[in-house]
Amino acid sequence: MPPQLPPSGAPVIDLHTHSTASDGTLAPAALVDAASAAGLRVLSVTDHDTTGGLDVAAAAAARLGIELVPGIEISAVSDGRDMHILGYFIDPAAARLRAFLDRQRADRVRRVEEMTARLARLGCAIDADAVLAAAAAGRSVGRPQIAAALIAAGHVHTRDEAFDRFLEYGAPAYVPRQGTSPEEVIAILHDAGGLVSLAHPGVTRRDDRIAALAAAGLDALEARHSDHDAAAEQHYRAVARVHGLLVSGGSDFHGDVGHRAARLGLVSVPEEDYAALKGALERRRHRAS
Ligand SMILES: [Zn+2]
Ligand SMILES: [Zn+2]
């Protein structure tokens, strides 16, 4: 395990978590409760392609004295592959962001329907209605929910098996997203008043794109992440310095064991990195006003 525990007494800052608004297992209020119990002082809820959990999370955070950073993790597409883009301090009501998220939601439903049809042709029928009912209820649906349906139907034993055999890029049931470029996502998140960070670059492994994204206004790299070891964090801190970018970080907590960080409070952004992000936000807002 990488040495990611903060020094004792330091504020625990986690800028990457998921709730049931996307593919997390804890409802937004329960996620904030769990963050409080784990000693977090600053929390960002960053659900995939939705801000649906933010209002409830903000109310719970206010009650518990936690600083909530309104966030999102948007799936962009570059060369047919997903790149995850984190937005922080966003205004969820921004019109351009809202219109974009409506389009993303429609594309997620289309993908679920196409992947379900492919699975049926492969002899692995699943209960798509349950997945699409979640979408109708405002949740972001996609491959994680299809993996769960494959397990429920007895076609696979684990989420990893579902991705390896059927759902991974290039696997027989994989359907590409209708892509929005990372550059366009950066512009949409800036338009919503936010800062933008490239999620888990050590997992996505598209270092070749970082210079162009920095030129397009990217603010930070998520150098610190539960899937990055100490060498990966140091690498991305160095890459960030080269391109004049800041550093963000978080657990990518989903609530379930065996999927990214299994506990809150284990991955914390150093106070100085968080202060630098807030300073950049101030400067951006000052320029915009
Ligand atoms: Zn991600
Ligand atoms: Zn995530």
Side-chain angles (χ1 to χ4, degrees):
M1 278 294 289
Q4 292 185 318
L5 276 173
S8 59
V12 181
I13 301 166
D14 190 338
L15 300 180
H16 192 157
T17 63
H18 294 271
S19 78
T20 50
S22 62
D23 58 342
T25 60
L26 298 181
L31 174 62
V32 177
D33 279 343
S36 176
L40 266 64
R41 294 252 315 276
V42 180
L43 171 72
S44 188
V45 176
T46 52
D47 278 307
H48 297 287
D49 291 333
T50 180
T51 58
L54 293 182
D55 281 351
V56 169
R63 183 164 40 80
L64 293 166
I66 288 184
E67 184 178 338
L68 184 91
V69 176
I72 193 166
E73 183 173 20
I74 290 179
S75 298
V77 177
S78 182
D79 310 314
R81 308 283 303 266
D82 286 4
M83 290 183 83
H84 289 179
I85 310 292
L86 294 158
Y88 292 119
F89 308 103
I90 53 167
D91 172 9
R96 189 175 167 194
L97 176 63
R98 289 256 64 81
F100 170 77
L101 293 178
D102 285 345
R103 292 199 304 276
Q104 289 280 91
R105 200 165 299 125
D107 189 53
R108 281 178 173 274
V109 169
R110 174 196 68 85
R111 276 184 97 208
V112 165
E113 289 169 344
E114 284 190 26
M115 288 191 277
T116 301
R118 287 188 186 207
L119 286 167
R121 288 199 294 275
L122 292 163
C124 296
I126 58 167
D127 181 5
D129 291 348
V131 177
L132 294 172
R139 293 180 183 168
S140 284
V141 294
R143 290 181 294 169
Q145 289 79 13
I146 292 181
L150 279 166
I151 295 169
H155 297 305
V156 298
H157 295 292
T158 65
R159 171 194 164 90
D160 281 351
E161 186 188 352
F163 273 80
D164 289 347
R165 285 180 56 197
F166 299 112
L167 304 175
E168 205 51 84
Y169 176 76
Y174 178 83
V175 173
R177 244 174 247 289
Q178 258 154 26
T180 300
S181 72
E183 282 87 348
E184 188 178 344
V185 170
I186 290 168
I188 289 165
L189 290 169
H190 280 160
D191 179 74
L195 289 181
V196 188
S197 183
L198 177 62
H200 43 68
V203 177
T204 309
R205 294 182 177 279
R206 290 301 308 271
D207 289 19
D208 58 306
R209 294 285 279 116
I210 291 174
L213 299 186
L218 184 71
D219 298 288
L221 294 182
E222 191 181 43
R224 203 167 173 88
H225 184 272
S226 49
D227 286 348
H228 288 181
D229 60 16
E233 177 176 344
Q234 287 316 310
H235 170 70
Y236 286 106
R237 283 185 180 278
V239 173
R241 271 193 298 277
V242 166
H243 296 290
L245 301 172
L246 300 172
V247 162
S248 75
S251 62
D252 215 348
F253 176 78
H254 283 73
D256 47 345
V257 177
H259 180 197
R260 297 276 157 82
R263 277 205 293 142
L264 287 166
L266 292 179
V267 178
S268 182
V269 187
E271 179 73 31
E272 54 270 27
D273 289 322
Y274 184 59
L277 289 168
K278 290 192 99 169
L281 180 73
E282 287 288 308
R283 288 192 297 279
R284 170 168 289 281
R285 294 199 166 157
H286 190 72
R287 282 201 307 274
S289 64

